[in-house]
Amino acid sequence: MSTKRIAMWSGPRNLSTALMRSFASREDCSVVDEPFYAAYLYATRIEHPLRNIILSSYNTDPLDVAESCCKGTVQTKIQYQKHMTHHMLDSFDRSFVHNISNAFLIRSPEKVVKSFGKKILDFALKDLGYVQQLDLFKMICDKSGYSPPVVDADDLCANPAAILAELCSKLGIRYSRKMLHWKKGKHSYDGVWGAYWYSAVNNSTGFSLPKDNYDPISEFQRNLINKAIPYFSLLNEHKIKID
């Protein structure tokens, strides 16, 4: 059986787990949750919640992980890979992306910075994935000659059926209405880090616009937002639009 392997490239707090839930709801699709997370933690020695458990539970060799993303055994017609762009360090070989189908999930910097700041106190632009996301996007465009699909998280929540249908069309797969709903709670395919990060999505059963966060923006947050906006804006020019 030939498998369609889809890599969705996102930054943290982009509603990426909700989109993974969406694809996992399909009968013909299996999913992989952040396959490079352990390799990223091992290489950077960065302290993250549940770090030791992650390192002991997942492959820390980026070449092995990349090989699995391209050639690992899959029992379904479609495999959806949820990737965090900040996990793709400059020292990692990214050429594997040319052997799979790619798409990008973006979200406004203000919402990302506010959400991320609730989980991690000390962070920088590189931890939000915007720079790496644009680098990957350009690399794929340069090699393929065309732009991979880009989905804005707010558009997805506002009009999930239309956005998902168009995304599936661009990826060359059929759309399924089952992608609009999923079961509440933890799921077997979640990474162990879900115990820390996935509380909100575990209480959801479908896409909905997150509640507005009216918390004041600190000077530190505003500086990060301003740094991220140019990268977000360039990707935003390519996003799926529904007439």
Side-chain angles (χ1 to χ4, degrees), residues 11 19 21 31 55 62 102 123 140-141 146-147 150 161 217 223 239 241:
L19 189 52
R21 292 270 190 275
V31 300
L55 290 177
N102 297 279
F123 60 100
I140 293 167
C141 289
Y146 62 87
S147 301
V150 177
I217 298 174
N223 287 335
K239 73 174 183 178
K241 297 177 182 179

Side-chain angles (χ1 to χ4, degrees), residues 39-224:
Y40 162 78
L41 290 178
Y42 182 79
T44 60
R45 300 184 180 180
I46 193 171
E47 288 295 332
H48 264 206
L50 304 175
R51 183 180 190 278
N52 291 336
I53 296 176
I54 295 168
L55 290 177
S56 64
S57 303
Y58 299 90
N59 197 327
T60 60
D61 186 329
L63 290 177
D64 287 349
V65 176
E67 179 79 6
S68 178
C69 287
C70 293
K71 300 179 181 179
T73 301
V74 182
Q75 302 296 333
T76 51
K77 291 182 179 180
I78 302 170
Q79 183 192 58
Y80 179 90
Q81 302 169 11
K82 171 194 163 191
H83 289 283
M84 295 288 103
T85 55
H86 64 288
H87 292 170
M88 299 309 299
L89 303 174
D90 291 341
S91 59
F92 291 0
D93 183 357
R94 304 176 181 182
S95 61
F96 76 94
V97 303
H98 300 305
N99 298 316
I100 52 183
S101 297
N102 297 279
F104 288 77
L105 176 64
I106 62 174
R107 193 183 187 197
S108 71
E110 182 171 326
K111 293 181 179 180
V112 169
V113 167
K114 281 188 171 184
S115 180
F116 194 74
K118 290 184 175 181
K119 294 289 187 177
I120 302 291
L121 296 179
D122 185 17
F123 60 100
L125 181 63
K126 63 181 176 61
D127 301 312
L128 302 178
Y130 287 104
V131 177
Q132 303 92 323
Q133 196 172 35
L134 185 59
D135 284 345
L136 280 164
F137 183 82
K138 289 181 175 178
M139 186 182 84
I140 293 167
C141 289
D142 289 345
K143 179 77 171 182
S144 67
Y146 62 87
S147 301
V150 177
V151 172
D152 180 275
D154 286 342
D155 295 342
L156 176 62
C157 289
N159 197 353
I163 294 293
L164 288 171
E166 185 63 18
L167 173 62
C168 289
S169 175
K170 289 181 178 295
L171 290 170
I173 61 175
R174 67 172 181 82
Y175 166 65
S176 170
R177 289 191 59 81
K178 291 184 177 181
M179 299 176 72
L180 297 175
H181 305 285
W182 52 83
K183 292 182 179 179
K184 180 184 277 191
K186 301 176 183 178
H187 290 249
S188 61
Y189 51 77
D190 291 349
V192 297
W193 46 87
Y196 183 83
W197 293 98
Y198 294 174
S199 57
V201 74
N202 284 345
N203 285 319
S204 71
T205 58
F207 292 104
S208 62
L209 286 170
K211 295 180 180 179
D212 289 332
N213 181 349
Y214 296 107
D215 292 343
I217 298 174
S218 67
E219 182 179 355
F220 165 75
Q221 290 177 326
R222 176 54 64 190
N223 287 335
L224 278 180

